[in-house]
Amino acid sequence: LPPSSVIQTLIRMRDLLPPPSKTFSSTATSFSKDWPAQIFDAMTAHSSDEDVQAEGFRTVWSIISTNNHLASDLIGYAEKKDIIHAMETHKKSSLVQGCGAGLIACIASTEKYARQLLGANDGRIIQRLMNALKFHQIGDEGDHFSHGAIQENAMKALYHLS
């Protein structure tokens, strides 16, 4: 599929989720265990496309936000370096860095998953968050995440991981 079709599919997936203001324990049962593979396979197929990477992160973030226990399905992808790879490939993209840091913060908001993230990839999650903080300063030219959202997401992630 072309990147625009992948992005539309990812947005449709998010639109089908229950509103974040409500708690739905059934969200976990409505997804198969390989739901991350569908998203990360699309991201891998379009690894050079910043928008596909950001929309993939947003979709995973949205899914986990509806039920944090779905993060257990995602830990294997962190160990396979998919999250880190996308953030490293698009180091200069405030869009990818902001969404990636937000996704990491969401996963790490549960202590069990935070410990698993810390143990994955020799701590490269921390390095990636520190680089996002260092290279994406508030008010940078062309910043998709104005008002310090990258810093906010990265700091939340680091707090949860500490």
Side-chain angles (χ1 to χ4, degrees):
L1 292 172
S4 60
S5 296
V6 170
I7 290 169
Q8 288 174 351
T9 301
L10 292 168
I11 291 169
R12 272 189 244 127
M13 286 176 76
R14 289 197 308 267
D15 289 344
L16 294 173
L17 293 170
S21 61
K22 298 184 180 184
T23 304
F24 286 89
S25 59
S26 63
T27 306
T29 58
S30 64
F31 285 101
S32 65
K33 273 285 203 194
D34 70 343
W35 68 267
Q38 298 168 13
I39 296 170
F40 282 101
D41 287 350
M43 291 173 68
T44 299
H46 299 283
S47 61
S48 63
D49 191 302
E50 165 186 357
D51 294 325
V52 170
Q53 302 308 300
E55 291 300 332
F57 281 157
R58 281 185 183 140
T59 301
V60 173
W61 186 358
S62 296
I63 291 169
I64 292 172
S65 294
T66 65
N67 186 327
N68 198 274
H69 295 291
L70 289 168
S72 66
D73 299 337
L74 193 64
I75 295 302
Y77 289 89
E79 292 170 355
K80 290 180 182 177
K81 305 178 183 178
D82 290 344
I83 295 169
I84 291 172
H85 177 72
M87 290 180 76
E88 285 178 348
T89 301
H90 299 278
K91 288 182 220 181
K92 295 181 181 181
S93 168
S94 60
L95 186 61
V96 173
Q97 297 304 308
C99 291
L103 171 58
I104 294 167
C106 184
I107 296 168
S109 66
T110 300
E111 183 179 348
K112 171 184 171 182
Y113 306 132
R115 280 186 271 128
Q116 290 174 348
L117 279 174
L118 281 172
N121 303 313
D122 298 324
R124 288 181 57 208
I125 291 279
I126 300 291
Q127 179 186 14
R128 200 54 257 142
L129 292 167
M130 295 304 291
N131 285 340
L133 283 171
K134 180 178 178 182
F135 296 113
H136 294 276
Q137 302 298 315
I138 296 173
D140 281 350
E141 187 83 19
D143 189 357
H144 289 85
F145 278 78
S146 59
H147 309 294
I150 293 173
Q151 291 78 13
E152 180 182 344
N153 289 343
M155 292 303 288
K156 280 182 189 176
L158 290 167
Y159 171 77
H160 290 304
L161 291 167
S162 67

